[in-house]
mmCIF file of all heavy atoms in Angstrom:
data_model
loop_
_atom_site.group_PDB
_atom_site.id
_atom_site.type_symbol
_atom_site.label_atom_id
_atom_site.label_comp_id
_atom_site.label_asym_id
_atom_site.label_seq_id
_atom_site.Cartn_x
_atom_site.Cartn_y
_atom_site.Cartn_z
ATOM 1 N N ARG A 11 -11.076 59.823 27.178
ATOM 2 C CA ARG A 11 -9.867 60.378 26.575
ATOM 3 C C ARG A 11 -9.949 60.269 25.067
ATOM 4 O O ARG A 11 -10.495 59.307 24.527
ATOM 5 C CB ARG A 11 -8.644 59.619 27.066
ATOM 6 C CG ARG A 11 -8.407 59.810 28.533
ATOM 7 C CD ARG A 11 -7.256 59.010 29.054
ATOM 8 N NE ARG A 11 -6.272 58.692 28.051
ATOM 9 C CZ ARG A 11 -5.242 57.912 28.252
ATOM 10 N NH1 ARG A 11 -5.077 57.342 29.410
ATOM 11 N NH2 ARG A 11 -4.379 57.656 27.289
ATOM 12 N N ALA A 12 -9.384 61.239 24.397
ATOM 13 C CA ALA A 12 -9.334 61.203 22.937
ATOM 14 C C ALA A 12 -8.287 60.179 22.510
ATOM 15 O O ALA A 12 -7.214 60.099 23.090
ATOM 16 C CB ALA A 12 -8.995 62.572 22.391
ATOM 17 N N ILE A 13 -8.601 59.380 21.512
ATOM 18 C CA ILE A 13 -7.683 58.365 21.004
ATOM 19 C C ILE A 13 -7.181 58.824 19.650
ATOM 20 O O ILE A 13 -7.962 59.165 18.767
ATOM 21 C CB ILE A 13 -8.378 56.998 20.871
ATOM 22 C CG1 ILE A 13 -8.833 56.522 22.239
ATOM 23 C CG2 ILE A 13 -7.450 55.978 20.242
ATOM 24 C CD1 ILE A 13 -9.669 55.275 22.195
ATOM 25 N N ASN A 14 -5.888 58.812 19.500
ATOM 26 C CA ASN A 14 -5.295 59.186 18.223
ATOM 27 C C ASN A 14 -5.264 57.942 17.344
ATOM 28 O O ASN A 14 -4.404 57.081 17.488
ATOM 29 C CB ASN A 14 -3.880 59.745 18.446
ATOM 30 C CG ASN A 14 -3.269 60.256 17.152
ATOM 31 O OD1 ASN A 14 -3.841 60.087 16.081
ATOM 32 N ND2 ASN A 14 -2.123 60.875 17.263
ATOM 33 N N SER A 15 -6.225 57.807 16.430
ATOM 34 C CA SER A 15 -6.337 56.608 15.595
ATOM 35 C C SER A 15 -5.253 56.534 14.530
ATOM 36 O O SER A 15 -5.059 55.502 13.913
ATOM 37 C CB SER A 15 -7.710 56.532 14.944
ATOM 38 O OG SER A 15 -7.894 57.639 14.103
ATOM 39 N N ALA A 16 -4.515 57.612 14.313
ATOM 40 C CA ALA A 16 -3.439 57.590 13.328
ATOM 41 C C ALA A 16 -2.261 56.749 13.826
ATOM 42 O O ALA A 16 -1.435 56.320 13.039
ATOM 43 C CB ALA A 16 -2.988 59.003 13.021
ATOM 44 N N GLN A 17 -2.202 56.476 15.122
ATOM 45 C CA GLN A 17 -1.102 55.697 15.673
ATOM 46 C C GLN A 17 -1.329 54.194 15.538
ATOM 47 O O GLN A 17 -0.394 53.429 15.627
ATOM 48 C CB GLN A 17 -0.912 56.048 17.150
ATOM 49 C CG GLN A 17 -0.465 57.468 17.362
ATOM 50 C CD GLN A 17 -0.393 57.815 18.838
ATOM 51 O OE1 GLN A 17 -0.876 57.060 19.685
ATOM 52 N NE2 GLN A 17 0.193 58.946 19.145
ATOM 53 N N ARG A 18 -2.553 53.766 15.333
ATOM 54 C CA ARG A 18 -2.867 52.345 15.224
ATOM 55 C C ARG A 18 -3.330 52.002 13.819
ATOM 56 O O ARG A 18 -4.028 52.772 13.203
ATOM 57 C CB ARG A 18 -3.967 51.951 16.199
ATOM 58 C CG ARG A 18 -3.545 52.035 17.621
ATOM 59 C CD ARG A 18 -4.622 51.495 18.521
ATOM 60 N NE ARG A 18 -5.719 52.451 18.584
ATOM 61 C CZ ARG A 18 -6.965 52.140 18.875
ATOM 62 N NH1 ARG A 18 -7.297 50.908 19.109
ATOM 63 N NH2 ARG A 18 -7.893 53.049 18.927
ATOM 64 N N THR A 19 -2.941 50.845 13.372
ATOM 65 C CA THR A 19 -3.426 50.350 12.095
ATOM 66 C C THR A 19 -4.584 49.407 12.385
ATOM 67 O O THR A 19 -4.412 48.400 13.064
ATOM 68 C CB THR A 19 -2.325 49.587 11.345
ATOM 69 O OG1 THR A 19 -1.221 50.453 11.179
ATOM 70 C CG2 THR A 19 -2.825 49.107 9.987
ATOM 71 N N PRO A 20 -5.783 49.717 11.895
ATOM 72 C CA PRO A 20 -6.910 48.821 12.183
ATOM 73 C C PRO A 20 -6.739 47.482 11.480
ATOM 74 O O PRO A 20 -6.254 47.407 10.365
ATOM 75 C CB PRO A 20 -8.123 49.581 11.641
ATOM 76 C CG PRO A 20 -7.567 50.502 10.629
ATOM 77 C CD PRO A 20 -6.167 50.835 11.072
#
Side-chain angles (χ1 to χ4, degrees):
R11 294 177 25 186
I13 298 173
N14 185 353
S15 62
Q17 294 175 349
R18 292 186 286 156
T19 303

